[in-house]
Amino acid sequence: MVQTGPMTLHIDDTRTTLTVEQNLTGWRREFCVELLGDGEVRIFLRALAVPSLKATELHRGVLFHRVGSGFGDLTGCVAAARDGLEHLARTAVRQQPNKDNLFAAVTYDRNAWEAVVSAVERWQRSPAATPRV
């Protein structure tokens, strides 16, 4: 795990490769940000056979965005989305779910998350994201 900055962005760069068979049978990859609170987030990639459910992940404090099967440079992507990720980390607050808020274990600036998603999308389309063989 790589830590960057003043303990705000924790990058779990564990490889999540998909086999050709998994790609052909609907597996997907997701760029994930776990909102830990106190200005800290954990950023990771995961591979899944079925899509994540937003309510389930919000209950765990995880935001996710589907990325392409060739996505591989998490560190480069985080660098491209750093401003949005740092803003997201600063605005995230962990909370105890209650009867008025059963599913979200965290509050966060939705505009900051949208900025992160936009940066991830731009980065995926950039020449820097293209895998070199």
Side-chain angles (χ1 to χ4, degrees):
M1 185 176 302
V2 178
Q3 295 180 354
T4 63
M7 298 288 292
T8 58
L9 305 180
H10 304 283
I11 304 169
D12 183 347
D13 56 0
T14 305
R15 288 293 219 194
T16 58
T17 56
L18 293 176
T19 66
V20 172
E21 183 180 338
Q22 287 172 322
N23 277 324
L24 294 173
T25 57
W27 280 65
R28 59 192 70 228
R29 296 177 81 192
E30 293 175 345
F31 173 89
C32 302
V33 178
E34 182 178 10
L35 304 170
L36 303 171
D38 296 327
E40 295 189 36
V41 297
R42 181 174 77 98
I43 303 159
F44 59 98
L45 287 177
R46 66 181 169 197
L48 302 160
V50 295
S52 295
L53 300 174
K54 186 174 181 178
T56 302
E57 295 305 317
L58 277 177
H59 188 68
R60 295 178 46 221
V62 175
L63 303 174
F64 62 93
H65 179 68
R66 185 174 179 184
V67 293
S69 61
F71 189 104
D73 182 9
L74 182 60
T75 304
C77 182
V78 168
R82 178 171 299 285
D83 290 342
L85 286 164
E86 287 179 347
H87 182 71
L88 183 64
R90 284 190 305 274
T91 63
V93 177
R94 294 289 275 180
Q95 60 189 20
Q96 289 296 322
N98 59 44
K99 66 178 181 155
D100 297 324
N101 185 14
L102 294 175
F103 295 106
V106 67
T107 59
Y108 60 95
D109 181 338
R110 283 168 175 60
N111 290 329
W113 174 241
E114 290 173 14
V116 169
V117 169
S118 293
V120 169
E121 287 297 316
R122 279 191 308 275
W123 185 85
Q124 279 193 105
R125 292 188 300 269
S126 73
T130 306
R132 290 183 174 80
V133 180

